[in-house]
Amino acid sequence: DDGIRKDGLSWLGISWLMLSDIVGTSVLTLNGVAARLGFVLTVLFICGLFPMAVYTSVLMSRTRTILENLGVKEPLGTMGQVAAAAFQSERAGSIVTLVVYGYTALGQASYMLVLGTTLQQLFYSMPLCLPLAVLLSVLVLLVPTFGLRRLKDSVALCFFNSMLILAVIVIALVRLGMNRPDCKHTHLFEPGLSFLVGLGAATNVVYSFSGQWMYFELIDTMAEPKDFPKAFLVSGPFMLVTYLAVALLGYWFGAGKMNLINGMPHGPILQAVALLLFMHVVIVYLIKSVVLIRYMHGRCCPNQVEHRSCRSYMQHGGWGLFLLTFSLLVSNMVPFFSQLLGIIGGIFAGPISFLFPIAFFLLAKGREEASEENYLDREESIELSVDMDRPDEDAKLSYTESSSSSASSRPNFAWRGLPAWEKLVLFITVIFILATMVFGVTEEILQVIELWGQFGAPFDCHRLRAPTHACG
């Protein structure tokens, strides 16, 4: 079949699945990134991280192809499975799986925070505290969380969800543009900009380009997996234009340093946008919760995952309730959306979406290079054994020793075979992501502490604040 699955998705369908996950609530923080950096660094970070994200995504496709060509028989449909194959260690696969699902669970908590704030915006005339608004969101999700056990891949649903967030962005930008402040509030480089502030803002951009955790799953569902890079022909321009529009126009229109919706004046338009955003986040939360709950349910009671008995539903729902409770707690501990995404992006999204794919590729490529060199060594050993009338066993021993020696230096095999431009891209990517992990996360944590003192500690009321404004 040449790797072609008749029931698989096309690269165009995959592009909409990608957009549904990547272009989500995180895009609403990019105007705040611009307000902290100014025009120049905002454009540099967005336009610089975009090719890095595409490059690491292509590395994932190349890694899968290499492992298949090496004869790996195990499934390669998740990041954990690919890690196990690349490291040749089930423990490595389990660790990566745990990190990926932990990251996804924290993403669910960020969605819960958005649901709570959108309810506050829907009922902005009422003194609705954030913990109560989040609790109401939990109640809205409770029944479908218990009942929803499996989601078929639906390109139509993902397209609809992408249109929802696009509508939110367009309406918000138009409304903000109607009230652009007259004062001077935009700069090429924001006054007070520092190294920490810059990397702190960069963590939000990193999060916005972090969909790689699910790309192996997407590749696994394709009719022709080798066509995966073509998905960026649609998703790439959509992401880049949307991110730049929100960042630069939101900054220009004076949305302030918080997220785009918080900059809108209270009124019917804000309520309409909040309703659309609420619908979008409910759909995303339920889709991702099915994946997470099935994983936790499978680890706990693997024999019950596919059953439809009362016991199985209660187990599934129990894990769903655990996830909802976790999301409620985290969203109230860090009730500031941009900073919460920055922390998640710096600690988890950067390594998962950029460092893990690079490590998997170097290991797989190293195995490929070592395999080719071992084959040449084996041929040479056989020729020598024939010429010197050596026994076959000696030739086999020579090959075995060569193979062992090559296996100990696989990353070196991969690195020396890469072109200079690719080495440079890998080096810059690794250094930048490591910097955001250390310095960027530090800045976001310092901001959270400052905001706790300014607006209230975790689990305080945190009522809906007046719209942020660039001129105060």
Side-chain angles (χ1 to χ4, degrees):
D1 293 338
D2 297 327
I4 297 176
R5 289 177 46 185
K6 294 181 179 179
D7 61 338
L9 292 171
S10 68
W11 64 265
L12 186 59
I14 288 295
S15 68
W16 289 112
L17 290 171
M18 291 167 60
L19 287 173
S20 179
D21 178 72
I22 301 172
V23 183
T25 54
S26 61
V27 71
L28 302 177
T29 67
L30 294 180
N31 64 284
V33 170
R36 294 161 67 183
L37 299 178
F39 284 121
V40 174
L41 286 182
T42 300
V43 173
L44 179 63
F45 281 169
I46 293 176
C47 293
L49 270 169
F50 171 68
M52 285 185 185
V54 174
Y55 173 72
T56 54
S57 302
V58 172
L59 286 186
M60 296 173 74
S61 179
R62 291 168 65 184
T63 299
R64 179 187 166 98
T65 300
I66 289 171
L67 291 173
E68 287 177 338
N69 292 339
L70 287 171
V72 173
K73 302 300 182 183
E74 291 76 12
L76 298 172
T78 69
M79 187 167 274
Q81 291 171 346
V82 172
F87 283 95
Q88 295 181 288
S89 166
E90 289 297 328
R91 178 176 295 180
S94 299
I95 292 173
V96 169
T97 299
L98 184 63
V99 171
V100 168
Y101 281 120
Y103 160 67
T104 309
L106 287 170
Q108 296 295 83
S110 73
Y111 292 142
M112 193 62 67
L113 179 56
V114 175
L115 290 174
T117 54
T118 52
L119 282 183
Q120 289 181 306
Q121 291 160 346
L122 269 172
F123 304 102
Y124 66 85
S125 60
M126 299 173 56
L128 185 61
C129 291
L130 181 63
L132 178 58
V134 172
L135 181 60
L136 291 174
S137 302
V138 169
L139 295 177
V140 169
L141 291 165
L142 191 58
V143 173
T145 296
F146 266 80
L148 200 60
R149 300 287 299 273
R150 181 184 291 275
L151 284 174
K152 300 289 185 181
D153 283 335
S154 175
V155 175
L157 178 62
C158 292
F159 178 84
F160 171 73
N161 217 26
S162 296
M163 292 303 102
L164 279 179
I165 192 66
L166 186 61
V168 167
I169 292 169
V170 170
I171 296 172
L173 287 175
V174 170
R175 183 67 183 90
L176 288 166
M178 295 168 61
N179 290 324
R180 182 178 181 271
D182 296 327
C183 65
K184 172 69 174 177
H185 65 277
T186 59
H187 306 272
L188 292 179
F189 295 93
E190 193 66 20
L193 181 63
S194 67
F195 179 74
L196 276 182
V197 170
L199 288 176
T203 59
N204 285 102
V205 184
V206 169
Y207 190 99
S208 297
F209 283 113
S210 298
Q212 288 88 328
W213 70 273
M214 62 177 288
Y215 285 177
F216 284 120
E217 284 93 331
L218 295 183
I219 295 172
D220 202 47
T221 65
M222 293 185 68
E224 298 186 52
K226 292 182 180 179
D227 284 345
F228 175 72
K230 294 181 181 178
F232 290 96
L233 295 175
V234 173
S235 62
F238 190 100
M239 278 190 287
L240 194 58
V241 172
T242 303
Y243 290 2
L244 287 173
V246 172
L248 303 183
L249 291 178
Y251 181 39
W252 179 259
F253 293 153
K257 294 185 178 180
M258 305 307 285
N259 72 67
L260 190 69
I261 311 304
N262 286 353
M264 295 180 62
H266 295 170
I269 297 180
L270 173 64
Q271 290 177 310
V273 167
L275 180 60
L276 292 174
L277 185 57
F278 189 88
M279 293 168 57
H280 168 81
V281 176
V282 164
I283 292 172
V284 174
Y285 184 94
L286 289 175
I287 290 174
K288 291 189 176 181
S289 69
V290 168
V291 177
L292 280 169
I293 295 169
R294 281 181 63 84
Y295 169 73
M296 293 185 290
H297 193 185
R299 298 289 293 181
C300 172
C301 310
N303 296 330
Q304 293 291 322
V305 174
E306 301 299 337
H307 288 186
R308 293 299 179 264
S309 62
C310 179
R311 176 186 175 186
S312 178
Y313 270 99
M314 292 304 295
Q315 289 173 345
H316 177 92
W319 283 113
L321 183 60
F322 169 80
L323 186 60
L324 287 168
T325 304
F326 173 80
S327 301
L328 184 148
L329 293 174
V330 173
S331 62
N332 279 285
M333 288 178 64
V334 187
F336 313 110
F337 183 60
S338 296
Q339 287 70 31
L340 177 58
L341 286 194
I343 293 171
I344 298 172
I347 297 176
F348 290 99
I352 290 171
S353 297
F354 294 90
L355 302 187
F356 283 9
I358 290 173
F360 301 159
F361 171 73
L362 290 177
L363 285 166
K365 184 68 174 174
R367 283 180 61 188
E368 182 183 52
E369 297 284 348
S371 177
E372 292 175 357
E373 184 161 316
N374 288 338
Y375 176 78
L376 295 176
D377 288 348
R378 183 181 184 186
E379 292 295 317
E380 184 178 346
S381 297
I382 292 174
E383 290 177 4
L384 286 172
S385 68
V386 171
D387 292 341
M388 301 176 64
D389 295 324
R390 291 173 56 190
D392 290 342
E393 291 79 9
D394 290 343
K396 183 176 180 180
L397 178 61
S398 175
Y399 165 67
T400 303
E401 291 172 348
S402 174
S403 175
S404 175
S405 175
S406 299
S408 65
S409 56
R410 286 172 189 158
N412 292 334
F413 280 113
W415 184 259
R416 74 186 187 189
L418 296 176
W421 70 266
E422 201 162 8
K423 293 178 181 179
L424 180 62
V425 171
L426 288 173
F427 178 78
I428 293 174
T429 302
V430 170
I431 294 300
F432 181 78
I433 295 301
L434 290 176
T436 59
M437 290 175 64
V438 178
F439 301 107
V441 171
T442 299
E443 169 63 17
E444 294 301 288
I445 292 174
L446 291 175
Q447 283 196 24
V448 169
I449 295 171
E450 180 181 343
L451 291 171
W452 278 340
Q454 187 175 354
F455 297 110
F459 298 95
D460 279 357
C461 183
H462 292 282
R463 288 191 178 91
L464 183 66
R465 302 194 295 271
T468 57
H469 198 280
C471 300

